[in-house]
Amino acid sequence: MLTAVSLGPGDHSLLTPAARAALENADVIAGYKGYITLVPPELLEGKEVISTGMMGEVERAKMAIENARSGKQTVMVCSGDAGIYAMAGLLLEILEAENLLDKVNFSVVPGVAAFNSAAALLGAPLMHDFASISLSDLLTPWDVIEKRLRLASQADFVIAIYNPRSKKRSKLLQKALDIIAESRKNTTPVGIVGRAYREGQSIQTVPLNEVDPTTVDMQTVLIIGNSATRMAGGKMITPRGYHNKYDIKNNASF
Amino acid sequence: MLTAVSLGPGDHSLLTPAARAALENADVIAGYKGYITLVPPELLEGKEVISTGMMGEVERAKMAIENARSGKQTVMVCSGDAGIYAMAGLLLEILEAENLLDKVNFSVVPGVAAFNSAAALLGAPLMHDFASISLSDLLTPWDVIEKRLRLASQADFVIAIYNPRSKKRSKLLQKALDIIAESRKNTTPVGIVGRAYREGQSIQTVPLNEVDPTTVDMQTVLIIGNSATRMAGGKMITPRGYHNKYDIKNNASF
């Protein structure tokens, strides 16, 4: 049995009972070392822990699969949601490549993804259609990322940006913001959330043309409003629709 | 104190401890009657419950705000994530319209959204950039929805579709699928999940040209793969990147 388990943002109050149960029942807990530290310590006791800072993701996934094949209850932990830019897919890809899909019982425990957390801390920026885009060009060509940014902006999606920056890729966020600004006002609110629900949490909201890329790192999520998003009392609000369609003052039902 | 609380899909194993604590501490629990039934019954005991099937959303939100203003700990429950197509935004909009933003302490408890749940049940369809689009044209003009569908498909986003159908809007899903098919293969896998993690859960995956809109209702979420999404052993896999960029067989790190 192999389970990809979502830890949520890291605060144990956002770890679901289903995730906790999977961890409790595990013989082996595998994960990037930074994520292992998010597991409640009492759930690691007596478990075999495969914490691999040095090893690549593929190697770690293969070790987890090996353990599951040998009959051990094996959990791969991910921060946020294991199904969103995380390890659920790589595990399935390897099970497929090694013809193990019918030999290893695989499941995913969903969780609170990074943009769910960021949105909650910002107010209500994801009340309408949105797109999630990773700026990591390690696995995706930059021209594909650029095209997605451009079309998402033209479509007036709220845009959540993952992996906005690394040491090697210090200029990509500014390029991305410039592309979005081609079809969105400079004053569009942008929410910038670092380390949501973890020590060192930071929350800021600035207009699109005042985002400072040097203040973000790979653990930051940005949420860029759509054409109707506004700030109110420090909160970011994306209205659920077009104002001519409903009327708060007159109790209109819909 | 007013808190928009995410219940997740409904199974109590996906209700976060933070949501449970907010419910435990509440004097008043407000919500659409269908969502109140998702609250563990013991948490409703001794609470004032504002369950409004007949009333509109705006009226319900205003009643919750009135209660919070009078000093009661008030919770508005939402299925999925309260911050995604749900009540967090309407509460903020009303607080803003009534100049109450500095008088009512408002917060959101994030949760497991409907597409997180659907994705977990399908395999790993959200491993790469995606867009979430609601087909509800009650608050959004259909031409805006159409434009978003078209651009999202052109951008090769995985597409999650919310509110795919109602009695009044029986043709919209087919229209949406036709628009997506303009720039996506007929064989693109589509995951269709009804009532995820609730009684009556249904999971199916079919090619894009074989989706039967008559089998979906408003409680269904569809996830339409991108150009690289494939089926393997009954699971839907969207690879995390472009295959020339990594190599599962050779333990490549990245």
Side-chain angles (χ1 to χ4, degrees):
Chain A
M1 179 94 100
L2 176 64
T3 313
V5 169
S6 306
L7 298 176
D11 189 294
H12 300 165
S13 76
L14 293 170
L15 180 72
T16 63
R20 185 175 277 272
L23 289 161
E24 269 164 2
N25 295 330
D27 301 310
V28 177
I29 298 178
Y32 172 67
K33 61 181 178 179
Y35 303 157
I36 294 285
T37 65
L38 302 180
V39 176
E42 71 272 19
L43 297 179
L44 294 174
E45 276 170 33
K47 308 287 164 63
E48 191 179 333
V49 176
I50 304 178
S51 165
T52 56
M54 303 302 290
M55 216 180 300
E57 284 177 312
V58 173
E59 202 170 347
R60 181 161 22 110
K62 286 187 174 182
M63 282 185 70
I65 288 169
E66 259 331 294
N67 275 280
R69 270 192 89 179
S70 74
K72 293 179 184 164
Q73 299 268 7
T74 305
V75 159
M76 173 69 79
V77 294
C78 303
S79 76
D81 187 314
I84 295 187
Y85 300 116
M87 293 294 281
L90 182 58
L91 291 168
L92 271 179
E93 286 187 74
I94 296 173
L95 290 171
E96 179 194 35
E98 298 187 350
N99 289 314
L100 293 173
L101 281 165
D102 57 353
K103 295 188 184 70
V104 175
N105 187 334
F106 175 75
S107 63
V108 181
V109 176
V112 179
F115 57 74
N116 299 283
S117 299
L121 295 170
L122 290 166
L126 296 181
M127 282 298 112
H128 212 299
D129 302 331
F130 67 95
S132 172
I133 302 176
S134 166
L135 298 193
S136 173
D137 62 351
L138 293 172
L139 298 180
T140 305
W142 177 252
D143 62 341
V144 172
I145 298 170
E146 235 180 54
K147 180 179 180 186
R148 287 182 179 160
L149 289 163
R150 186 165 285 119
L151 293 176
S153 185
Q154 288 171 7
D156 203 23
F157 284 118
V158 177
I159 301 173
I161 292 188
Y162 271 67
N163 303 318
R165 185 191 160 99
S166 71
K167 277 184 188 164
K168 286 186 190 162
R169 305 178 295 104
S170 62
K171 310 265 189 209
L172 296 191
L173 177 56
Q174 191 56 55
K175 276 198 211 179
L177 295 169
D178 290 345
I179 290 166
I180 291 167
E182 287 168 12
S183 36
R184 207 156 293 187
K185 282 181 302 198
N186 278 334
T187 52
T188 303
V190 177
I192 305 172
V193 179
R195 302 183 64 79
Y197 297 101
R198 291 200 298 283
E199 217 182 301
Q201 169 181 293
S202 65
I203 306 166
Q204 49 166 325
T205 46
V206 294
L208 181 54
N209 63 348
E210 289 178 24
V211 176
D212 178 359
T214 64
T215 65
V216 313
D217 63 22
M218 282 305 264
Q219 299 202 53
T220 306
V221 169
L222 286 89
I223 297 184
I224 295 155
N226 70 13
S227 62
T229 303
R230 60 183 185 269
M231 295 301 300
K235 301 284 190 186
M236 199 169 161
I237 306 180
T238 300
R240 299 170 312 149
Y242 286 73
H243 267 290
N244 55 357
K245 287 255 184 174
Y246 64 108
D247 184 353
I248 287 170
K249 306 236 180 224
N250 292 310
N251 276 347
S253 294
F254 41 84
Chain B
M1 180 94 100
L2 177 63
T3 313
V5 169
S6 306
L7 297 176
D11 189 293
H12 300 165
S13 76
L14 293 170
L15 180 72
T16 63
R20 185 174 276 272
L23 290 161
E24 269 164 0
N25 295 330
D27 300 310
V28 177
I29 298 178
Y32 172 67
K33 62 181 177 178
Y35 303 157
I36 294 286
T37 64
L38 302 179
V39 176
E42 70 273 18
L43 297 179
L44 294 174
E45 276 170 32
K47 307 287 164 63
E48 191 180 331
V49 176
I50 304 177
S51 165
T52 56
M54 303 302 290
M55 214 180 301
E57 285 177 312
V58 174
E59 202 170 346
R60 182 160 21 112
K62 286 187 174 182
M63 281 185 70
I65 288 169
E66 257 334 292
N67 276 281
R69 268 192 91 179
S70 75
K72 293 179 184 164
Q73 299 267 7
T74 305
V75 159
M76 173 70 78
V77 294
C78 304
S79 77
D81 187 314
I84 295 188
Y85 300 116
M87 293 294 281
L90 182 58
L91 291 168
L92 272 178
E93 286 188 73
I94 295 172
L95 290 171
E96 178 193 34
E98 299 188 348
N99 289 314
L100 293 173
L101 281 165
D102 57 353
K103 294 188 185 69
V104 175
N105 187 334
F106 175 75
S107 63
V108 181
V109 176
V112 179
F115 56 75
N116 299 284
S117 299
L121 294 169
L122 290 166
L126 296 181
M127 282 298 111
H128 213 297
D129 302 333
F130 67 96
S132 172
I133 301 176
S134 166
L135 298 192
S136 173
D137 60 352
L138 293 172
L139 298 179
T140 305
W142 178 252
D143 61 341
V144 172
I145 298 170
E146 236 179 54
K147 181 179 179 186
R148 287 182 179 160
L149 289 163
R150 187 164 285 118
L151 293 176
S153 186
Q154 288 171 8
D156 203 24
F157 284 118
V158 178
I159 300 174
I161 292 188
Y162 272 66
N163 303 318
R165 185 190 160 99
S166 71
K167 278 183 188 164
K168 287 186 190 163
R169 305 178 294 105
S170 62
K171 310 265 188 207
L172 297 191
L173 177 56
Q174 190 56 56
K175 277 198 209 178
L177 295 169
D178 291 344
I179 290 166
I180 291 168
E182 288 168 13
S183 35
R184 207 156 294 187
K185 282 181 301 196
N186 278 334
T187 53
T188 304
V190 177
I192 305 172
V193 180
R195 302 183 64 78
Y197 297 101
R198 290 201 298 284
E199 216 180 302
Q201 168 181 294
S202 65
I203 306 165
Q204 49 167 325
T205 46
V206 295
L208 181 54
N209 63 348
E210 290 179 22
V211 176
D212 178 358
T214 66
T215 66
V216 312
D217 63 22
M218 282 305 264
Q219 299 201 52
T220 306
V221 169
L222 287 89
I223 298 184
I224 296 155
N226 70 13
S227 63
T229 304
R230 61 183 185 268
M231 295 302 299
K235 301 284 189 184
M236 200 169 160
I237 306 179
T238 301
R240 299 171 311 149
Y242 287 73
H243 267 289
N244 54 357
K245 286 256 185 173
Y246 65 109
D247 183 352
I248 287 170
K249 306 235 182 222
N250 292 310
N251 276 346
S253 295
F254 42 85

